[in-house]
Amino acid sequence: MVLGNTKPIQMRDEMQKSYLAYAMSVIISRALPDARDGLKPVHRRILYAMNDMGLKYNTSYKKSARIVGEVLGKYHPHGDSSVYDAMVRMAQDFSMRYPLVEGQGNFGSVDDDPPAAMRYTEAKLAKISEALFIDIDKDTVPFSNNFDDSLTEPIVLPTRLPGLLINGSSGIAVGMATNIPPHNLGEVCDALVAYIDDENISLESLMQHVKGPDFPTAGIILGKEGIKQAFATGQGKVIVRARVYISEGNDTDKRKIVITELPYLTNKAALVAKIADLGKEKTVVGIGEVRDESDRQGMRVVIELKRDAQPQKVLNALYKYTALQSSFPINMIALVDGQPQTLTLKEALRVFVEFRQEVVTKRTRFELKSAKERAHILEGLTIALDNIDRVIEIIRFGDEPKSQLMTEFALSAAQTQAILDLQLKRLAKLESTKIKEEYDVLLKLIEKLIGILNDKKSILVIVRQEILEVKERYANLRRTEIAEQAVATFSEEDLVPHESMVVTISSRGFVKRVPAQVYRAQHRGGKGIIGMTVREQDDVRHLTIADTHDCILFFTTRGKIFSNKCHELPEDRNRTAKGMAVINLFPIGEKERVTTIMAVPEFKEGRYMIMATKMGEVKKINLSEFAAVRSSGLLAMDFAEGDELVSACIADENEDVIIITEHGQSITFPASDIRTSQRASGGVCGIKLGSGDSVVAMDIMKESQYVLVASENGYGKLTPQQDYPRQKRSGSGVRTFNVVTKSGKVVGAEVVSTNEELMVITKNGIVIRTPIREGEGENSKGISIQGRTTQGVKIIDLDDGDSAVAISTSN
């Protein structure tokens, strides 16, 4: 149906047209800053209104409500909250790198506290804002009518501040968003000067001046790659960390993590609450109390740690789970010639320099015009002065003095009006010398201004000089540190605290780890405590002490190696738990079982793994071969049927290896006597075994240390390592333990120092943890230092039917 003269339209066309109009309105009039002055319309209107009200930095404050009313009534017909919120943000030193408004009263806080109502606060322009309005009255920028055509307002301010970069901007438009971080004014000014000196300057050279974002809340930016990408493309991401330090405390003071700076736009109160919740929920272990001790002197958030907490691990966890480490996405979109455009660093500098060239050019034209007009007036005044009596006569007695003066003296209307506007008294007293001096000065100025307009380089020189003046007057030191470290993500291992663990495995293949501190230290000869509940036909076979970050290698009867991080093994703070079946961790064959386990802190190049079998074979292979063990395992050694791996250790080429058998024999020889082999190969003879004998242990000899040997009936001893002669590989060796019925066979041996602790586990799961030596000299207690052919002293008091099966030592 068509009414009157209306024409039918397509709904699709109308929707498209209206939506595009709405989108452009949001983009241009609300969400995106102008690349020239870095301001959105609402901010520009607030600042212009305050300047128009005379609220300079050196005047008194005015009520915020009055300022908001001025802006609403004259320039910005929207809600008062939008204007007040924008003004508040320009006054917050934690939001703006260079605040443009100076507020008095409650303007909010870094805890996200809201500002007081506008009727309670006062404001005026900050000192730096004077650089926004210099030359605004010299036709340097275009003006447009306000919303009701009653006033005019500037479309852009003739700022000398590179506002887009130094204060940044953020906003969400239709189909696009901008997020520009703030930068340091001094650095940006240096980059502008460098660009003026060389328009073809490279990004790398510009980054010698602009190091990266400089946030008002400081913090630390990790790495430069994100900065470089953002500067090169206009889009990127930087990782920002809080500035913290760890206070180790003393006997009366607890260890603390102290936070003194936060990432940009982080809510401190919410962060403190989050950290407290993570501590209560045990998501981050080790947090005791969280306090906000911030005051007028600065920010200070204190996290008190529990006694057994590891500060760096707690801090890593906080970086992962809280805003202590945050990413800041950079999307440098701004309006260039009224159109949204993604700007690189160089393009942003170019736009500002071209804008300043335009401002200086328009200012120069205005000044030239004004100088010419004044010179023209002075020419007329000179003519009037030369003919003063006649001029006065015409003014006093003429019927039409203006036309008479113009006709008689060939004066222009402007010159004539200037003469008529003067009082006769002043006209009579005009001094020709002063007029001549002023006229000469104006002629020189006109010549200078014309020269500037005719020479683009002269304009650039002026722009350069004004930029340096801005730097000298307003620049300050960088706040945000840019660290070389680029690693900003954390693996689960980074969050695991270092802790000494006892890893055990039974003959039926149940593995577990228990904190070493669970086993209290006892004197030699004690009964020990239950370390694992074992089932029938099962007993504990192997034990090692490892750090949670160590890699645990599992050696099987088929010569294969499986690998797992210690902290990934099933943990049970209950020392009597039986653990998890190893087949749930690795694809071990039905008839395959673990014969030994080994802790490896790191897989260093140039070091070797030496393996020993039950039948006395040894093999050497580069340790790095096992740095990445696939889930299906790696073949480590090929050996005869019935033989199995019983021990492994890590050695350098110049170290000596000692092998100990269950009948108490041992042999010491250089590791260099074993050739380096491939993984799939077999070994060579390490020791010739007597009838019924077998290898139980192998270790690396160290200077000034002792060989600790333990037997199945709980006996042990220390023997100085110099008592063991160095021999050739594949010999029968020498006696190291007197195996008798009382002591039983040798079950384990290690090369140790006297300040270590020994842990012994029995087949029934009983564990004793005891110092190797206590005290010095004659008063020393612990395991005896004896010769090679002795049987030692009792280490653990065993129950009937029980026997020691494995030992391990730790510092």
Side-chain angles (χ1 to χ4, degrees):
M1 181 178 180
V2 180
L3 299 177
N5 294 326
T6 58
K7 298 180 180 180
I9 60 174
Q10 291 291 330
M11 181 66 73
R12 181 183 63 186
D13 295 340
E14 179 62 24
M15 289 293 291
Q16 183 180 36
K17 179 181 177 182
S18 299
Y19 184 78
L20 287 174
Y22 162 74
M24 288 306 297
S25 174
V26 171
I27 289 170
I28 296 173
S29 304
R30 191 181 308 171
L32 298 186
D34 193 298
R36 295 169 291 180
D37 62 7
L39 298 172
K40 298 179 185 179
V42 65
H43 301 109
R44 189 179 300 113
R45 288 165 177 167
I46 292 169
L47 295 169
Y48 181 67
M50 293 178 72
N51 184 69
D52 204 35
M53 293 170 68
L55 298 180
K56 307 294 174 54
Y57 73 93
N58 53 0
T59 62
S60 59
Y61 294 92
K62 288 289 187 294
K63 281 289 184 182
S64 298
R66 180 178 172 186
I67 298 170
V68 171
E70 186 85 1
V71 176
L72 292 178
K74 290 184 175 181
Y75 308 113
H76 199 73
H78 298 280
D80 57 0
S81 62
S82 65
V83 175
Y84 186 52
D85 289 348
M87 188 181 78
V88 164
R89 187 177 185 279
M90 287 193 289
Q92 293 174 335
D93 58 3
F94 53 87
S95 294
M96 301 282 281
R97 180 62 179 84
Y98 298 91
L100 302 175
V101 173
E102 186 177 330
Q104 182 168 266
N106 175 17
F107 275 77
S109 74
V110 73
D111 290 320
D112 206 27
D113 297 321
M118 67 180 79
R119 61 184 178 274
Y120 299 121
T121 61
E122 298 178 330
K124 62 181 178 179
L125 290 173
K127 181 176 176 60
I128 196 172
S129 293
E130 65 182 354
L132 298 171
F133 299 101
I134 299 175
D135 302 327
I136 195 171
D137 55 349
K138 294 183 178 180
D139 293 340
T140 51
V141 292
F143 279 68
S144 64
N145 290 335
N146 68 341
F147 61 90
D148 62 358
D149 295 337
S150 60
L151 298 167
T152 60
E153 60 177 305
I155 295 175
V156 64
L157 296 182
T159 176
R160 295 188 181 183
L161 297 173
L164 185 72
L165 289 173
I166 66 169
N167 271 329
S169 184
S170 63
I172 300 175
V174 178
M176 65 183 67
T178 187
N179 203 34
I180 304 171
H183 297 77
N184 183 270
L185 175 59
E187 294 179 1
V188 173
C189 287
D190 288 339
L192 286 167
V193 169
Y195 175 79
I196 291 172
D197 293 341
D198 180 12
E199 291 186 358
N200 297 317
I201 188 171
S202 65
L203 176 61
E204 288 73 18
S205 297
L206 285 176
M207 287 186 67
Q208 294 296 316
H209 303 288
V210 184
K211 310 299 182 183
D214 188 22
F215 299 110
T217 52
I220 303 170
I221 295 175
L222 300 184
K224 297 181 179 179
E225 283 304 311
I227 298 172
K228 186 173 183 180
Q229 182 181 5
F231 283 173
T233 66
Q235 294 179 325
K237 181 177 72 173
V238 295
I239 305 298
V240 189
R241 273 187 184 175
R243 185 176 296 279
V244 303
Y245 68 88
I246 296 172
S247 174
E248 289 296 339
N250 50 43
D251 294 339
T252 59
D253 191 19
K254 296 180 180 178
R255 290 184 298 174
K256 302 171 185 176
I257 294 175
V258 182
I259 305 166
T260 58
E261 296 172 3
L262 290 179
Y264 186 43
L265 303 179
T266 296
N267 182 332
K268 175 162 64 68
L271 174 68
V272 171
K274 176 70 172 177
I275 293 173
D277 289 343
L278 290 172
K280 291 177 183 177
E281 297 166 1
K282 305 298 182 184
T283 304
V284 179
V285 179
I287 295 176
E289 182 184 358
V290 185
R291 297 190 307 275
D292 186 357
E293 298 180 356
S294 303
D295 55 21
R296 292 177 182 270
Q297 274 64 52
M299 182 181 298
R300 179 181 168 89
V301 176
V302 177
I303 305 169
E304 281 195 358
L305 303 179
K306 295 180 180 178
R307 185 178 299 275
D308 58 346
Q310 296 186 22
Q312 192 58 51
K313 295 302 175 181
V314 173
L315 187 55
N316 285 347
L318 293 178
Y319 284 146
K320 180 173 183 178
Y321 294 119
T322 72
L324 277 185
Q325 177 173 299
S326 306
S327 63
F328 187 93
I330 299 174
N331 197 19
M332 295 178 64
I333 296 180
L335 295 175
V336 179
D337 297 329
Q339 299 295 321
Q341 183 176 323
T342 301
L343 299 173
T344 64
L345 173 63
K346 188 173 181 179
E347 288 169 346
L349 298 174
R350 174 186 59 78
V351 170
F352 183 75
V353 169
E354 290 177 354
F355 173 61
R356 288 302 305 163
Q357 284 180 274
E358 182 182 345
V359 169
V360 171
T361 300
K362 289 182 176 180
R363 181 186 69 198
T364 305
R365 287 174 182 164
F366 177 86
E367 292 174 346
L368 177 61
K369 179 183 176 184
S370 299
K372 286 182 176 179
E373 289 175 353
R374 180 60 180 166
H376 183 63
I377 297 299
L378 291 177
E379 288 171 356
L381 292 176
T382 300
I383 293 172
L385 194 61
D386 292 340
N387 302 275
I388 186 65
D389 294 334
R390 177 59 182 159
V391 169
I392 292 174
E393 182 183 349
I394 292 173
I395 293 174
R396 293 185 65 183
F397 303 109
D399 294 332
E400 294 183 4
K402 183 174 184 179
S403 60
Q404 282 184 262
L405 288 172
M406 290 176 65
T407 302
E408 187 168 334
F409 296 108
L411 297 173
S412 68
Q415 290 173 322
T416 305
Q417 189 62 47
I419 294 170
L420 294 174
D421 287 342
L422 288 173
Q423 294 178 350
L424 289 176
K425 181 178 181 182
R426 283 195 60 201
L427 184 63
K429 291 186 176 181
L430 282 175
E431 298 179 14
S432 60
T433 303
K434 289 184 179 180
I435 293 176
K436 183 69 168 60
E437 288 176 355
E438 183 182 356
Y439 184 68
D440 291 341
V441 170
L442 282 174
L443 289 180
K444 292 179 180 178
L445 176 61
I446 290 170
E447 183 181 359
K448 176 184 176 182
L449 295 174
I450 291 174
I452 291 172
L453 290 174
N454 290 334
D455 184 7
K456 182 180 178 181
K457 290 184 178 180
S458 297
I459 293 176
L460 279 174
V461 169
I462 295 172
V463 171
R464 187 182 192 278
Q465 181 60 36
E466 290 176 349
I467 288 172
L468 291 174
E469 289 173 2
V470 165
K471 176 189 174 183
E472 183 179 357
R473 188 162 190 176
Y474 304 113
N476 50 28
L477 296 176
R478 161 173 282 278
R479 297 180 185 176
T480 302
E481 177 188 343
I482 300 176
E484 294 296 332
Q485 176 191 3
V487 179
T489 58
F490 298 99
S491 65
E492 288 300 320
E493 185 174 358
D494 293 324
L495 309 181
V496 174
H498 287 278
E499 188 175 5
S500 182
M501 289 284 175
V502 177
V503 181
T504 57
I505 189 167
S506 72
S507 60
R508 292 185 61 181
F510 285 90
V511 62
K512 71 167 184 176
R513 64 183 173 101
V514 178
Q517 63 185 16
V518 170
Y519 303 97
R520 68 180 186 275
Q522 301 179 38
H523 292 297
R524 174 183 64 79
K527 294 288 290 186
I529 58 176
I530 298 175
M532 176 185 284
T533 301
V534 294
R535 295 182 173 185
E536 289 186 26
Q537 299 179 344
D538 193 13
D539 52 42
V540 179
R541 283 295 180 189
H542 308 287
L543 170 146
T544 190
I545 299 175
D547 184 86
T548 44
H549 286 239
D550 288 351
C551 183
I552 307 297
L553 298 181
F554 295 78
F555 298 81
T556 74
T557 51
R558 293 185 178 177
K560 293 182 74 173
I561 284 182
F562 294 91
S563 174
N564 209 348
K565 284 290 186 179
C566 181
H567 66 82
E568 294 175 349
L569 295 175
E571 179 185 8
D572 203 322
R573 299 269 163 174
N574 178 8
R575 53 185 168 76
T576 63
K578 66 181 176 61
M580 177 188 290
V582 74
I583 58 173
N584 293 326
L585 299 175
F586 313 116
I588 292 179
E590 185 176 344
K591 295 182 180 181
E592 194 174 9
R593 61 182 175 82
V594 174
T595 59
T596 190
I597 54 179
M598 175 185 182
V600 183
E602 55 183 331
F603 294 87
K604 285 186 177 179
E605 287 286 344
R607 303 205 75 192
Y608 299 90
M609 178 185 289
I610 300 178
M611 296 167 281
T613 72
K614 184 178 179 180
M615 295 183 179
E617 287 194 350
V618 290
K619 177 180 177 180
K620 185 173 72 175
I621 189 170
N622 283 310
L623 182 61
S624 58
E625 293 269 356
F626 304 101
V629 178
R630 54 178 174 260
S631 58
S632 59
L634 287 177
L635 184 62
M637 185 175 182
D638 186 26
F639 41 74
E641 188 173 347
D643 201 359
E644 62 184 44
L645 279 171
V646 293
S647 187
C649 58
I650 298 171
D652 292 333
E653 187 76 15
N654 58 352
E655 291 181 313
D656 287 351
V657 177
I658 182 171
I659 297 176
I660 298 96
T661 75
E662 66 176 8
H663 287 177
Q665 288 294 111
S666 70
I667 187 170
T668 304
F669 57 86
S672 57
D673 279 4
I674 313 170
R675 69 174 183 274
T676 305
S677 307
Q678 299 300 314
R679 283 192 296 104
S681 65
V684 294
C685 181
I687 184 172
K688 289 182 180 178
L689 299 174
S691 176
D693 202 1
S694 62
V695 173
V696 294
M698 175 180 63
D699 207 349
I700 302 302
M701 282 292 200
K702 302 289 185 181
E703 288 186 10
S704 303
Q705 292 197 338
Y706 298 85
V707 177
L708 168 64
V709 184
S711 70
E712 61 183 349
N713 289 344
Y715 285 80
K717 63 164 184 169
L718 294 172
T719 303
Q721 62 92 19
Q722 58 265 29
D723 288 2
Y724 292 86
R726 197 183 202 196
Q727 301 175 291
K728 290 288 186 181
R729 175 181 59 80
S730 76
S732 299
V734 296
R735 175 69 61 186
T736 188
F737 192 86
N738 186 21
V739 175
V740 295
T741 303
K742 176 184 174 183
S743 64
K745 297 176 182 178
V746 174
V747 293
E750 286 193 22
V751 178
V752 300
S753 61
T754 54
N755 61 355
E756 295 182 53
E757 285 189 329
L758 170 68
M759 193 168 283
V760 181
I761 193 166
T762 73
K763 69 177 182 179
N764 290 341
I766 302 299
V767 174
I768 187 171
R769 175 184 169 196
T770 182
I772 289 178
R773 297 289 288 175
E774 293 181 281
E776 297 292 337
E778 296 180 357
N779 297 322
S780 178
K781 299 178 182 179
I783 302 173
S784 301
I785 299 176
Q786 302 180 2
R788 286 190 294 104
T789 60
T790 58
Q791 63 184 29
V793 294
K794 180 163 284 191
I795 299 174
I796 182 172
D797 186 11
L798 299 171
D799 293 332
D800 292 341
D802 200 4
S803 62
V805 293
I807 67 170
S808 186
T809 58
S810 65
N811 293 323

